[in-house]
Amino acid sequence: MLVEAILMTTTDHNYLVLPMLMVAAVGFALTPLAAAWAWAHFFSPAKPGKDKNAIYECGLEAKGDAWIHFRSEYYLYGIIFLVFDVETIFLLPFAVAFTGLSVGAFVAMIIFLLLLVEGLVWAWRKGILNWH
Amino acid sequence: MIEAGLKNELQKQGVYVTTLEDLYNWGRANSVWPLTFGLACCAIEMMAASMARFDLARFGAEVFRPSPRQADLMIVAGTVTKKMAPLVVRIYNQMPEPKYVIAMGACAISGGPFKQGYNVLKGVDRYLPVDVAIPGCPPRPEALIHAIMTLQEKILNQKLTGPDRARHLNADVPGEFLVPAYGKQDLEPSKNTEVWQPPAIQR
């Protein structure tokens, strides 16, 4: 009966089946969620507490505040570390292929190294290497 | 509510009936998720129980959760020192209801071989409501599986309604237990008298 009615309407409206399927799909997803919410709301009372609402789950009580000040100098150190990091990555293949390199490649590599060293010299002169 | 006899008679005729309570408890009993929480050597047996040879997964209890927020069962596997006791209670408090405790091994039950030690808690049941206790030093994985089965039986018999309904459905029962503090000599208080009510010894 119902199937007949649906078939009759779908022959008249060819695309009606699409919103119907969509409603069914959304209902399929939402019904378990609603059931879970209703069960939690009506049958299992919430029992919040100091321990249960605590942020950390290791059993120890948190000491102090998590909103502490991080010094920006740390990030400058991180950036300077990159100078040495990139240098190491390029120096190793440079050393391995050193004897087979042409003069042009050698000059290009030295320029690249000088660029990195320039960054270090800049940081040094700025006084970033001293920890305040 | 359906009588057991009637249910049995109907089942013989091929008619299966159930109650919401049975269905709910059946689902809960077969998806007990323990907390990844080992204190001492019993934890090795607990790990063995969850591995392929003993296969705790057959009982739906293999999903060891690293967070107390997702766990249903705390297996106290090992010696609880007095330094560790407040942490154990606090982690138990952080678990959502319904929650259960298995005291695994002699140490968790009574302090075991270290009972005389100045720093050993003489049984985790002084602070936590232990549901199942497994004797042994350490208990074999089969014993842990038996404890899980015993716990499943307990869950299956819990009531959804009425005055003796399960704790997580009762708003009047507190969800958190007393966390002991480090005292000068001992934990303060040295036991939670609401939880620990041993029978008086008749001499």
Side-chain angles (χ1 to χ4, degrees):
Chain A
M1 187 74 174
L2 183 71
V3 176
E4 262 175 47
I6 290 171
L7 280 176
M8 279 185 55
T9 45
T10 44
T11 45
D12 292 342
H13 311 278
N14 281 333
Y15 294 105
L16 191 66
V17 70
L18 287 180
M20 279 164 64
L21 275 175
M22 201 170 147
V23 168
V26 170
F28 194 74
L30 288 185
T31 309
L33 288 176
W37 178 86
W39 184 275
H41 190 258
F42 293 110
F43 295 108
S44 49
K47 293 175 188 173
K50 188 174 137 286
D51 287 341
K52 201 176 254 183
N53 294 343
I55 297 167
Y56 291 101
E57 298 169 348
C58 55
L60 288 164
E61 276 182 317
K63 283 180 188 166
D65 198 2
W67 292 85
I68 56 165
H69 179 73
F70 278 95
R71 297 177 78 98
S72 60
E73 275 155 13
Y74 170 75
Y75 300 104
L76 289 174
Y77 263 90
I79 290 166
I80 296 168
F81 166 75
L82 268 182
V83 171
F84 294 99
D85 196 34
V86 174
E87 209 165 285
T88 316
I89 289 168
F90 281 96
L91 273 182
L92 191 70
F94 180 53
V96 169
F98 188 72
T99 47
L101 282 182
S102 62
V103 179
F106 177 77
V107 171
M109 193 62 203
I110 291 297
I111 289 171
F112 170 70
L113 284 180
L114 282 175
L115 279 172
L116 288 179
V117 169
E118 189 198 350
L120 181 63
V121 169
W122 173 84
W124 202 330
R125 289 191 57 182
K126 274 273 193 182
I128 296 167
L129 295 187
N130 297 320
W131 187 265
H132 301 296
Chain B
M1 200 59 212
I2 185 157
E3 282 171 45
L6 176 62
K7 198 173 165 181
N8 206 7
E9 280 302 312
L10 282 169
Q11 217 164 66
K12 279 179 194 160
Q13 302 299 320
V15 181
Y16 287 85
V17 286
T18 187
T19 54
L20 186 63
E21 187 176 275
D22 285 349
L23 211 60
Y24 175 67
N25 284 340
W26 172 77
R28 282 191 321 125
N30 290 297
S31 62
V32 178
W33 290 4
L35 182 65
T36 316
F37 181 66
L39 292 172
C41 10
C42 282
I44 306 293
E45 301 294 312
M46 184 174 77
M47 289 173 221
S50 68
M51 291 294 151
R53 182 170 180 145
F54 297 99
D55 202 12
L56 202 54
R58 290 174 294 160
F59 302 90
E62 84 284 12
V63 197
F64 278 82
R65 304 312 295 180
S67 162
R69 321 270 190 204
Q70 302 165 355
D72 306 309
L73 168 66
M74 175 183 254
I75 302 174
V76 184
T79 322
V80 186
T81 57
K82 285 179 182 168
K83 193 167 187 180
M84 194 64 188
L87 284 76
V88 174
V89 179
R90 219 172 268 133
I91 291 172
Y92 178 74
N93 283 346
Q94 287 181 343
M95 285 163 59
E97 306 253 13
K99 51 189 172 183
Y100 303 93
V101 179
I102 289 180
M104 185 180 181
C107 289
I109 294 174
S110 67
F114 312 112
K115 191 178 172 69
Q116 309 297 330
Y118 67 96
N119 63 336
V120 175
L121 187 70
K122 283 134 194 80
V124 76
D125 56 344
R126 285 171 185 236
Y127 294 111
L128 295 182
V130 174
D131 294 289
V132 184
I134 329 170
C137 187
R140 284 189 55 84
E142 291 97 327
L144 180 60
I145 287 173
H146 184 257
I148 299 257
M149 288 164 76
T150 312
L151 183 68
Q152 284 180 332
E153 215 168 280
K154 181 174 180 168
I155 294 173
L156 284 171
N157 288 317
Q158 283 191 317
K159 298 268 174 289
L160 281 194
T161 50
D164 57 342
R165 62 188 183 275
R167 203 179 68 205
H168 68 283
L169 300 169
N170 195 342
D172 302 329
V173 181
E176 290 200 357
F177 285 80
L178 178 132
V179 180
Y182 301 126
K184 205 169 181 185
Q185 296 288 336
D186 199 356
L187 290 170
E188 285 171 5
S190 64
K191 54 192 170 285
N192 185 352
T193 45
E194 285 172 29
V195 177
W196 196 60
Q197 287 145 348
I201 297 168
Q202 302 288 331
R203 284 206 172 91

